[in-house]
């Protein structure tokens, strides 16, 4: 009798202990909350950066800045009057530009390069800004980080979430 009870108990333990564990579900799903929080933080960052730029622009009594529809500010250093064509998609332009921080400290010295409109990677705000220009014009752009190098910077001279200024001259346009 003692052996029967022991066998019965052993079979009972083996039968019910071989069940696979069930995965537990999390108590709350946090993915949606994470993205909502990230979006809210980014909106706050953009708001603070916009306030910083607007303060900077208000302190500049020499230049008159215009706000673009795509999120940067610009002022003409040299404006060309007349019915001169502006660059269009797939045109190749020759440009000369510098990049500084808002205090005027040079991050990248004067550089010349060619750029194919809408077909090459470049600083997003300058991609849009070049389309506003005529040959011979010089414009200074104030570029918030989200239209420049973003949250990563460029890994060299431009820091994380850094607002930059770029003075750009459109030298030539070669149409497609």
């Amino acid at each position: 009798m003692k052996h029967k009870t022991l066998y019965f108990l052993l079979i009972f333990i083996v039968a019910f202990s071989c069940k696979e564990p069930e995965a537990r579900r999390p108590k709350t799903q946090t993915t949606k909350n994470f993205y909502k929080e990230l979006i809210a933080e980014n909106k706050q960052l953009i708001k603070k950066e916009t306030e910083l730029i607007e303060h900077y622009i208000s302190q500049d009594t020499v230049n008159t800045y215009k706000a673009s529809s795509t999120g940067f500010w610009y002022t003409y250093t040299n404006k060309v009057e007349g019915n001169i064509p502006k660059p269009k998609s797939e045109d190749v332009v020759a440009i000369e530009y510098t990049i500084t921080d808002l205090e005027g400290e040079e991050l990248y010295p004067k550089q010349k390069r060619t750029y194919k409109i809408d077909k090459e990677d470049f600083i997003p705000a300058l991609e849009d800004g070049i389309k506003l220009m005529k040959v011979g014009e010089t414009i200074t752009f104030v570029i918030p980080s989200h239209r420049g190098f973003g949250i990563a910077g460029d890994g060299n001279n431009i820091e994380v979430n850094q607002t930059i200024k770029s003075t750009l001259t459109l030298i030539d346009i070669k149409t497609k």
Side-chain angles (χ1 to χ4, degrees):
M1 170 97 173
K2 197 174 190 185
H3 290 289
K4 287 184 183 180
T5 307
L6 187 59
Y7 285 125
F8 178 73
L9 184 60
L10 184 62
I11 292 173
F12 181 79
I13 290 173
V14 169
F16 288 102
S17 66
C18 291
K19 183 178 174 186
E20 289 189 30
E22 289 183 29
R24 295 185 307 167
R25 299 237 181 248
K27 292 181 181 180
T28 59
Q29 298 289 338
T30 59
T31 306
K32 289 181 183 178
N33 291 339
F34 171 75
Y35 289 121
K36 286 180 182 177
E37 289 173 11
L38 186 61
I39 289 169
E41 286 176 19
N42 282 333
K43 285 180 179 179
Q44 192 65 22
L45 177 70
I46 290 170
K47 181 181 176 188
K48 286 181 181 178
E49 193 171 12
T50 300
E51 290 171 357
L52 172 77
I53 292 169
E54 288 172 346
H55 177 72
Y56 169 80
I57 289 171
S58 71
Q59 299 299 308
D60 187 347
T61 57
V62 176
N63 298 304
T64 303
Y65 289 85
K66 295 179 184 179
S68 75
S69 61
T70 57
F72 60 89
W73 290 259
Y74 63 99
T75 185
Y76 285 89
T77 305
N78 180 36
K79 185 168 178 66
V80 174
E81 299 298 331
N83 193 11
I84 299 171
K86 296 178 181 180
K88 305 179 292 305
S89 185
E90 297 191 25
D91 287 349
V92 176
V93 296
I95 58 173
E96 184 176 85
Y97 66 99
T98 60
I99 297 177
T100 66
D101 62 15
L102 285 183
E103 288 78 37
E105 184 179 325
E106 189 174 80
L107 300 173
Y108 288 101
K110 190 177 282 189
Q111 302 175 36
K112 288 185 178 182
R113 74 167 278 187
T114 59
Y115 165 68
K116 190 169 186 177
I117 304 289
D118 296 335
K119 298 298 177 185
E120 292 181 39
D121 284 338
F122 195 41
I123 302 168
L126 294 182
E127 289 177 6
D128 294 336
I130 290 170
K131 295 175 193 174
L132 301 171
M133 300 179 76
K134 299 173 186 173
V135 172
E137 288 186 329
T138 301
I139 296 180
T140 298
F141 298 93
V142 178
I143 305 168
S145 61
H146 67 277
R147 295 289 294 146
F149 290 90
I151 60 171
D154 73 344
N156 292 319
N157 298 342
I158 298 173
E159 298 176 10
V160 173
N161 292 324
Q162 185 173 13
T163 303
I164 58 173
K165 277 183 16 178
S166 179
T167 300
L168 187 141
T169 301
L170 181 59
I171 299 168
D172 190 26
I173 302 172
K174 292 184 177 138
T175 57
K176 181 180 145 185

